């Protein structure tokens, strides 16, 4: 893929992410003002400490924070890497796509969707599951398929990542009767999905560590990458003020560290 084409894809992705942020925010605010938001009343908090206690609005804020993160990072990628050959940018856009899928959780508490069986709720469950699968797949691909010999297959590899995640998200059953504290709809084979994700996360960090060691590149890059994984998973699961704050800080710091080091690496190569 040429740099010009990649920049066009990045630009259109940024516009799409911005539109989704506007739609998600406007839709939620409209339903909040109209009194159509069903705040869960049966969630048992695991802690009595205020910052760790279950807080519905922290869940909503975490979903919006993910959406804002996608918009901000896609813009940073567009402006910072527009003249570099960084293949990682395209795979990072696939990772951001998984985060966009995840923002569909903001529609779950709307009355008429959460209180009744609806195909909309099923599709939201499919999107959320696709997000949980695509995030580790895309990050693993980012570390495993960014070498020179794979550069010509970048588009195909990205498309394959998305198709695999979507296929299994549609294939695996979702249970709309069970909605988690973070507004995530329950899905079948949960332990298998979590195990699969954990394996890919560990493999991606190890792959990046080995590649950086081989290229004599700073492992601070690897640390930033690991922080992205940790921060994303904390923010996805956030159902308290502490979870929201820590997820945002770790994800943001990890992204800055990783992208700064990646940019320095390609400036040195170019």
């Amino acid at each position: 893929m040429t740099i010009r084409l990649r920049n066009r894809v990045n630009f259109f992705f940024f516009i799409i992410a911005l539109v989704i942020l506007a739609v998600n925010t406007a839709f939620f605010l409209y339903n909040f003002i109209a009194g159509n938001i069903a705040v869960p009343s049966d969630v048992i908090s695991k802690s009595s400490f205020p910052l760790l206690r279950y807080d519905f609005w922290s869940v909503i804020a975490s979903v919006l924070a993910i959406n804002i993160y996608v918009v901000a990072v896609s813009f940073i990628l567009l402006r910072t890497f527009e003249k570099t050959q960084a293949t990682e940018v395209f795979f990072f856009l696939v990772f951001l796509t998984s985060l966009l899928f995840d923002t569909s959780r903001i529609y779950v508490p709307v009355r008429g969707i959460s209180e009744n069986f609806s195909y909309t709720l099923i599709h939201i469950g499919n999107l959320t599951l696709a997000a949980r699968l695509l995030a580790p797949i895309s990050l693993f691909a980012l570390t495993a398929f960014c070498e020179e010999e794979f550069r010509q297959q970048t588009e195909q590899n990205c498309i394959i990542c998305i198709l695999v995640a979507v296929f299994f998200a549609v294939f695996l059953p979702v249970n709309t009767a069970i909605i988690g504290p973070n507004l995530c709809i329950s899905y079948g084979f949960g332990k298998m999905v979590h195990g699969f994700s954990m394996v890919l996360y560990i493999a991606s960090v190890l792959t990046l560590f080995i590649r950086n060691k081989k290229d004599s590149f700073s492992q601070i890059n690897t640390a930033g990458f690991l922080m992205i994984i940790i921060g994303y998973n904390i923010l996805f699961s956030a159902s308290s003020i502490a979870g929201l704050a820590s997820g945002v800080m770790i994800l943001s710091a990890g992204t800055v560290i990783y992208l700064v080091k990646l940019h320095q690496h390609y400036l040195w190569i170019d």
Side-chain angles (χ1 to χ4, degrees):
M1 173 175 290
T2 63
I3 295 178
R4 184 177 181 181
L5 179 58
R6 189 200 65 197
N7 289 339
R8 285 182 177 178
V9 172
N10 198 339
F11 175 75
F12 284 118
F13 182 88
F14 166 71
I15 296 299
I16 291 172
L18 194 60
V19 170
I20 291 176
L21 174 61
V23 171
N24 286 347
T25 304
F27 183 84
F28 185 84
L29 287 176
Y30 170 80
N31 283 280
F32 174 73
I33 294 172
N36 293 330
I37 301 299
V39 179
S41 58
D42 57 347
V43 178
I44 300 176
S45 184
K46 296 180 180 180
S47 175
S48 58
F49 187 66
L51 295 180
L52 297 176
R53 187 185 306 153
Y54 175 77
D55 179 48
F56 171 76
W57 300 109
S58 292
V59 178
I60 298 300
S62 69
V63 176
L64 291 176
I66 289 174
N67 210 155
I68 294 171
Y69 171 83
V70 173
V71 173
V73 175
S74 60
F75 179 76
I76 292 172
L77 291 175
L78 179 63
R79 296 303 300 270
T80 306
F81 292 89
E82 60 181 344
K83 296 181 180 180
T84 69
Q85 293 284 350
T87 308
E88 289 89 344
V89 170
F90 212 94
F91 288 106
F92 208 90
L93 286 176
V94 178
F95 170 65
L96 294 181
T97 300
S98 74
L99 270 61
L100 277 185
F101 288 169
D102 182 48
T103 61
S104 61
R105 287 185 292 139
I106 201 168
Y107 296 92
V108 172
V110 177
R111 298 185 192 278
I113 294 180
S114 61
E115 296 178 344
N116 302 299
F117 172 82
S118 69
Y119 286 106
T120 302
L121 204 58
I122 293 176
H123 294 324
I124 292 174
N126 293 143
L127 279 174
T128 305
L129 179 53
R132 298 303 288 164
L133 292 169
L134 185 56
I137 291 174
S138 59
L139 291 179
F140 175 73
L142 185 152
T143 60
F145 300 114
C146 286
E147 299 290 348
E148 184 69 32
E149 59 266 29
F150 298 112
R151 185 163 292 176
Q152 297 300 322
Q153 290 81 40
T154 300
E155 303 98 309
Q156 296 93 315
N157 290 334
C158 289
I159 293 173
I160 289 173
C161 288
I162 296 174
L163 290 179
V164 168
V166 171
F167 172 79
F168 282 102
V170 174
F171 176 76
L172 293 176
V174 295
N175 185 359
T176 58
I178 301 177
I179 299 176
N182 64 338
L183 301 180
C184 180
I185 297 170
S186 177
Y187 47 82
F189 303 97
K191 291 183 179 180
M192 185 180 298
V193 172
H194 295 157
F196 171 78
S197 300
M198 187 61 65
V199 168
L200 284 187
Y201 284 137
I202 294 174
S204 61
V205 172
L206 290 177
T207 302
L208 184 60
F209 177 84
I210 294 172
R211 194 177 78 187
N212 285 340
K213 186 174 182 180
K214 176 184 175 183
D215 297 340
S216 300
F217 188 57
S218 174
Q219 293 297 348
I220 296 177
N221 173 266
T222 308
F225 184 81
L226 178 60
M227 289 173 67
I228 290 174
I229 294 175
I230 296 173
Y232 159 66
N233 281 281
I234 291 176
L235 196 56
F236 171 81
S237 304
S239 57
S240 65
I241 297 175
L244 170 64
S246 59
V248 168
M249 288 188 292
I250 296 173
L251 179 60
S252 300
T255 302
V256 170
I257 293 171
Y258 175 76
L259 292 182
V260 166
K261 287 299 178 180
L262 183 65
H263 188 249
Q264 291 176 354
H265 176 67
Y266 277 96
L267 283 180
W268 180 75
I269 291 178
D270 294 340

